[in-house]
Amino acid sequence: MAIGRALARPELPVDTVSLARHLIGKAVVRELPEGVASGRIVETEAYVVGDAAGHAYRGMTRRNQSLYLERGHAYIYFAYGSSYMLNVSSETPGIGTGVLIRALEPLEGIPIMRLNRGVERLRDLARGPGRLTAALRIDRRLDGLDLCREGPLWLGCGDDEPGEIGQSIRIGISRDANRLLRFYLRDNPFVSGPRSLNE
């Protein structure tokens, strides 16, 4: 997969679920001092209006304000005391919804990603939301960044069709847990989660 230009905001569906599906097959590009590292998005989760599992469920806070930006901005938070999570804001300004990027298939800068993660095995570099942010050195300093233009972190469009997209319940949540809001590229070895959810 060759990464082209940055995704333009008008190309992004306004609807959160549609955006989560649309991002499958696109790319996350990280520009670092030592080079570019990137990965193809193979798994996402949608967090919609009124979603009890979403960070905006109780309203805007200092921590989640990037979630309320116009679609296509980065919302990055620290989870479980150990990992950063990369989300793409969705809908229109003032609506707290977003798409979690759950897994990437490494494309460029694999030696950089291996160094950042301290892991050799290609399949494990960015398979999971905490792993991919570690591999691409993504943290809160990039929170609120516009992902629709080239810079330190951006969304790129690919030159190929993503393939068959599967749908399942989301992973690792307890509220609104039965909603089919997770999307993934079928038969892709870089998708995270249990095999039972990836069939």
Side-chain angles (χ1 to χ4, degrees):
M1 170 183 171
I3 300 168
R5 55 177 174 77
L7 282 174
R9 203 169 328 278
E11 295 176 76
L12 302 180
V14 177
D15 175 72
T16 303
V17 176
S18 299
L19 179 61
R21 182 181 283 275
H22 179 76
L23 288 175
I24 299 292
K26 305 303 187 289
V28 174
V29 182
R30 179 77 167 104
E31 297 186 11
L32 293 161
E34 63 269 41
V36 173
S38 68
R40 180 187 192 206
I41 300 170
V42 296
E43 184 182 358
T44 61
E45 287 180 347
Y47 289 85
V48 298
V49 173
D51 191 339
H55 280 197
Y57 186 61
R58 290 189 169 83
M60 188 188 294
T61 65
R62 213 164 110 186
R63 178 195 187 207
N64 72 12
Q65 59 188 355
S66 296
L67 203 49
Y68 290 81
L69 295 172
E70 190 174 16
R71 69 191 187 282
H73 285 79
Y75 167 51
I76 299 164
Y77 64 90
F78 196 56
Y80 314 118
S82 62
S83 303
Y84 290 98
M85 303 285 156
L86 170 63
N87 300 260
V88 180
S89 63
S90 58
E91 311 269 339
T92 52
I95 307 292
T97 51
V99 175
L100 172 67
I101 308 299
R102 275 202 60 89
L104 300 176
E105 177 180 341
L107 294 173
E108 299 173 284
I110 289 169
I112 296 171
M113 296 168 83
R114 283 187 165 131
L115 194 62
N116 288 339
R117 284 270 291 118
V119 168
E120 277 297 311
R121 192 172 180 227
L122 185 66
R123 185 170 180 254
D124 291 334
L125 285 181
R127 188 172 51 91
R131 289 175 175 182
L132 74 88
T133 54
L136 298 182
R137 215 181 302 153
I138 293 170
D139 59 27
R140 285 279 297 171
R141 286 173 291 188
L142 301 171
D143 182 54
L145 203 67
D146 186 352
L147 300 174
C148 293
R149 59 176 165 211
E150 294 187 23
L153 182 67
W154 50 280
L155 293 169
C157 53
D159 57 0
D160 57 351
E161 289 298 311
E164 188 182 351
I165 297 173
Q167 190 171 356
S168 80
I169 60 171
R170 294 172 293 184
I171 295 172
I173 60 170
S174 55
R175 292 178 295 180
D176 273 348
N178 294 320
R179 303 175 79 171
L180 300 176
L181 295 174
R182 174 177 170 265
F183 299 91
Y184 60 94
L185 194 55
R186 286 191 189 277
D187 302 318
N188 185 284
F190 298 94
V191 170
S192 71
R195 187 173 296 173
S196 61
L197 289 183
N198 296 333
E199 295 174 347

